[in-house]
Amino acid sequence: MYGRCTVLGATLRGVEAIPVDVEVAVSNGLPGFSIVGMGDASVQEARERVRAALRSSGFQMPSGKIVVNLAPSSLRKTGSGLDLPIAVALLAATGQIDRACIENRLFVGELSLEGFVRGVAGSLAFALCAKKRGCSLVCAEDGETVSVDGLAQYGLRFLGGMRAAADLPLLSPLVPESAACDLDFRDVAGHEVAKRALQIAAAGRHGVLMMGPPGSGKTMLASRLPSLLPPLSQEEALETALIHSVAGESIAAILSGVRPFRKPHHSASLAGLVGGGSPIRPGEITLAHNGVLFLDELSEFKSSVLQGIRQPMETGEVRLTRADGTVTFPARFMLVAASNPCPCGHLGDEETACTCTLTQVKNYQGRIGGPLMDRIDLHLDVQRIPPSDVIATGSGTSSEALREGVLKAREFARWRSLHDAGARVSASASPNEAASRGSAASGPRRPADLVRDCHLSESSREFFEQSAKAHNMSGRAIMRTLSVARTIADMEESHEVLMTHLCEALSFRVREGVGV
């Protein structure tokens, strides 16, 4: 029972599955079972799982020297998903299964001591890897399976099923859950200004900071923001589902179009929020990609943790550099934060007097940090509403009505981008060039592009410059306020940003107790 065989497996790195050639050689020599190729502890432990699974499945464990090489050797391999390809390669090398049944197949799965095949995190990443390599995928029968065009996915429940590997059952794709959102703004009476601010934020993908006393409704408002957002597109759903699949979380709701809503506790570490660990896993800001990240009790987070999200808010990605290389995670999210204005929470409360000193208030709000505050577009004071309004719950403006304004604004913004791009294209330019320029305009904008897209009149420009100077606004604050004004104009289907739009944008930027 001696021989050699190579089976295709894969390992996760970031949100991508990297193919791994599992080479097995069984030869004469002192009995032993070694795995080489930079495998972590879970990969090394595969020796005992594979040994027990083979015997429980009725196969023979070779008595000679067994060497497993995981290529490329320069790539660090992690996780238990290499159990199945190691076992299959060992069986094929010793002639216990037909080699034809392993050709053009990628194997992924963890083995139990009884020989059952268990699913591992990252099923969608492995499926995309198999499609890229032009082969089929063999994985656990009870794992989450996403339909990928042009990819055959087979389920294996028990290692003994490899005796009839040619007849493995095709897996049924995961059935998406309903995309309906249970939370509705209709349940929130009053707070019309806050609802308006969240509608603007949803229309323009702006960040929001809400400050107010305990029980004023900040969390209730934030939790209903996803009901204003349009469903995920097919491309966004696949991209977001890939991240959650790698993190080992369910992806059924995401595939149906539901945008992620993440709300980490304020005790979260930097690695938990931004990503990290060994192996590196995505953090909360990556899990909120294409969705909403809600940071409740913002001032209670560690300052070092909060400052870690500053760069991702600008670039839309997280770059984690380690000794073995750099991993990049996508992180385009809407930030919604809520905080008490002071330690006792009653600063500015009309009902209860604040007992904090000025120094305590400054230190408490200073935990957030000026640079992070500068990157949040809308600053909002949320006050308690009268008991009569609380009792009148269910009679507020509905999410459906607010969402109509969001969809209208986004549609107008797309039309405006194409219209402005077409106007800048010379008469000799092709329609494809105009369309490509319009698509580029709808993405991240440079400051010069933003100013140009606002079409400010001379009087509006002069008013805004004077306001920015009077409030000592930074360059970033000026651009973000102008971006909010552009969104407000889109909601009113106005090609030009008027002075009223600028005034409303400034009112959400310069708030007492929040600052610029």
Side-chain angles (χ1 to χ4, degrees), residues 21-25 33-37 47 66-70 86 89-90:
D21 289 328
V22 180
E23 304 170 346
V24 171
F33 192 166
S34 60
I35 299 177
V36 298
R47 293 174 296 180
I66 303 171
V67 178
V68 178
N69 180 45
L70 307 177
I86 290 174
L90 188 57

Side-chain angles (χ1 to χ4, degrees), residues 106-362:
L106 188 151
F107 292 82
V108 175
E110 178 185 331
L111 293 177
S112 72
L113 300 183
E114 293 81 15
F116 291 100
V117 181
R118 295 168 175 163
V120 295
S123 58
L124 180 54
F126 293 123
L128 295 176
C129 178
K131 180 183 178 182
K132 188 176 181 180
R133 288 294 296 261
C135 57
S136 58
L137 176 67
V138 179
C139 57
E141 193 175 68
D142 58 350
E144 282 191 327
T145 308
V146 180
S147 178
V148 177
D149 293 338
L151 175 67
Q153 302 181 60
Y154 299 96
L156 183 64
R157 182 173 178 270
F158 188 65
L159 183 59
M162 287 301 301
R163 293 188 177 90
D167 300 321
L168 291 178
L170 283 169
L171 293 176
S172 300
L174 187 68
V175 179
E177 298 176 355
S178 173
C181 183
D182 297 332
L183 301 177
D184 197 294
F185 274 101
R186 182 183 290 107
D187 301 329
V188 183
H191 290 306
E192 295 304 321
V193 174
K195 291 180 181 179
R196 169 69 173 175
L198 292 175
Q199 185 185 36
I200 295 171
R205 304 174 181 88
H206 301 293
V208 183
L209 170 62
M210 295 182 286
M211 275 197 177
S216 57
K218 303 184 296 295
T219 302
M220 183 169 58
L221 287 163
S223 63
R224 284 159 175 76
L225 179 59
S227 66
L228 304 184
L229 300 173
L232 291 166
S233 65
Q234 186 174 3
E235 181 181 355
E236 288 176 329
L238 185 61
E239 184 182 27
T240 308
L242 175 61
I243 297 169
H244 285 251
S245 176
V246 168
E249 301 194 2
S250 175
I251 58 177
I254 291 174
L255 292 175
S256 67
V258 177
R259 293 185 179 270
F261 181 81
R262 307 296 299 188
K263 45 182 179 179
H265 191 261
H266 58 75
S267 62
S269 65
L270 181 60
L273 198 63
V274 177
S278 181
I280 295 178
R281 288 290 183 261
E284 288 292 331
I285 64 174
T286 297
L287 292 170
H289 181 64
N290 288 326
V292 177
L293 175 68
F294 177 44
L295 301 183
D296 201 3
E297 304 296 344
L298 186 66
S299 297
E300 298 295 338
F301 281 81
K302 292 182 180 179
S303 179
S304 59
V305 173
L306 289 180
Q307 304 318 310
I309 71 174
R310 284 161 45 186
Q311 184 181 9
M313 289 177 65
E314 295 283 343
T315 62
E317 65 179 19
V318 179
R319 294 179 62 85
L320 301 177
T321 302
R322 298 293 185 267
D324 59 343
T326 300
V327 176
T328 301
F329 292 116
R332 295 190 301 273
F333 58 90
M334 277 186 61
L335 174 64
V336 180
S339 175
N340 295 332
C342 63
C344 76
H346 297 293
L347 179 66
D349 191 354
E350 298 177 355
E351 303 294 333
T352 306
C354 176
T355 60
C356 303
T357 64
L358 181 60
T359 302
Q360 288 177 319
V361 173
K362 288 184 176 181

Side-chain angles (χ1 to χ4, degrees), residues 1 20 22 100 166 180 189 207 263 336 350 416 427 438 454 480 490:
M1 297 178 66
V20 174
V22 180
K263 45 182 179 179
V336 180
E350 298 177 355
R416 175 180 50 76
C454 287
R480 289 186 176 272
D490 289 337

